[in-house]
Amino acid sequence: MDEILHRVDANVSWITLNRPDAMNALTWDQRERVIALLADASADPGIRAVVVTATGKGFCAGADLRSSGPSSTTTDRVVGDISRMIRQGAQRLITAVLDCEKPVIAAVNGTAAGIGAHLALACDLVIAAEPARFIEVFVRRGLVPDGGGAYLLPRLLGPQKAKELLFFGDAVPAQEAARLGLVNKVVPADELEAAARDWAERLAQGPTRALALTKQLVNASLDSDRATALAAEATAQELNMATADANEGVAGFVERRTPKYLGR
């Protein structure tokens, strides 16, 4: 059985975690495959949006601690092994989502816990099925949140609410996650794929390079002062105006017609 399903449809790359019996707990091999597919999406002009989703009742129950990937053994461990494993593993996965040059939608079908929650929250847009839950499970295991959790949550929620979720590890239902701003939209479970497809195909028909630059600006703004953010904005617009899609968008406005973007 393929543990990661992949297809490209209507210029959208669909990446599906496929270990439903394990609630899609993420193995080393799965993580590497997702990272590679996100890199491929960035480089392929034929891919203009990405959806990350899963089969079964769970989106991702976190890292599979029983999987046998590099650095997974506890024997002969020395100081530095764990931080290296985190940097090369969970952090690489989250960074791959944040740095993907195409917009990434999480279609969260069920429980997203630990690194599974961070995988969803790192995406540009999050659509959740009604049964979905988000759990910062690390504290339940006596662990510090990794995979960017202490970076992502304060930026999405503010520090006080982020600490509440990280300190207690309580499950956040989909509707509450939407109220807090962790989720863009909640839909019935049987409508999740259609909702993700609708948004993804709309994005895939948009000005792809402008969307990439917009994503970079928004993500970088959270770590920037005003002067830096405004300088980056001006540079991004300068770069964007050299694209075919920017010229098409302006021409469409002048000619009073709907522009047809090609992603270039």
Side-chain angles (χ1 to χ4, degrees):
M1 179 181 73
D2 291 335
E3 294 185 345
I4 296 292
L5 304 178
H6 180 246
R7 73 183 193 275
V8 176
D9 182 20
N11 300 111
V12 178
S13 174
W14 289 78
I15 302 172
T16 304
L17 308 182
N18 187 39
R19 295 182 70 221
D21 293 343
M23 293 286 286
N24 293 302
L26 201 65
T27 67
W28 186 89
D29 287 337
Q30 283 181 298
R31 185 192 68 222
E32 294 303 303
R33 177 65 172 149
V34 172
I35 290 171
L37 288 170
L38 289 166
D40 291 346
S42 286
D44 186 349
I47 294 175
R48 299 172 64 186
V50 178
V51 176
V52 178
T53 190
T55 58
K57 295 182 178 180
F59 177 73
C60 178
D64 187 340
L65 301 180
R66 293 177 292 275
S67 67
S68 56
S71 303
S72 65
T73 60
T74 57
T75 58
D76 300 324
R77 178 182 293 160
V78 298
V79 173
D81 284 350
I82 295 297
S83 60
R84 187 182 311 107
M85 179 179 67
I86 297 300
R87 288 195 307 271
Q88 296 177 354
Q91 291 178 353
R92 278 180 58 241
L93 174 64
I94 299 308
T95 299
V97 178
L98 293 171
D99 290 347
C100 182
E101 295 179 27
K102 309 298 164 63
V104 184
I105 297 172
V108 183
N109 53 304
T111 297
I115 190 63
H118 301 164
L119 173 61
L121 299 178
C123 293
D124 302 302
L125 299 168
V126 183
I127 303 174
E130 289 173 346
R133 302 182 304 160
F134 299 82
I135 310 173
E136 288 296 329
V137 76
F138 297 93
V139 70
R140 300 186 186 182
R141 311 287 184 259
L143 300 174
V144 170
D146 61 40
Y151 174 85
L152 292 168
L153 281 172
R155 286 161 171 77
L156 293 166
L157 299 172
Q160 297 301 108
K161 194 64 181 181
K163 289 173 191 173
E164 178 185 333
L165 299 189
L166 293 167
F167 287 178
F168 293 113
D170 293 335
V172 180
Q175 292 288 0
E176 174 67 5
R179 188 187 70 79
L180 292 173
L182 294 175
V183 167
N184 296 90
K185 180 188 294 189
V186 179
V187 298
D190 61 358
E191 297 178 15
L192 179 64
E193 183 174 342
R197 176 178 290 106
D198 176 57
W199 273 15
E201 292 184 359
R202 285 179 62 189
L203 290 168
Q205 295 169 13
T208 306
R209 299 314 305 163
L211 292 176
L213 290 166
T214 301
K215 173 176 177 171
Q216 291 171 11
L217 286 173
V218 172
N219 288 350
S221 74
L222 299 171
D223 299 313
S224 299
D225 57 68
R226 182 179 63 185
T228 301
L230 293 181
E233 176 188 275
T235 299
Q237 193 69 287
E238 177 78 27
L239 293 171
N240 184 64
M241 288 305 296
T243 66
D245 280 349
N247 291 326
E248 168 65 7
V250 172
F253 173 76
V254 171
E255 298 166 13
R256 298 185 179 182
R257 61 175 174 81
T258 302
K260 184 176 181 180
Y261 297 119
L262 301 177
R264 298 175 182 270

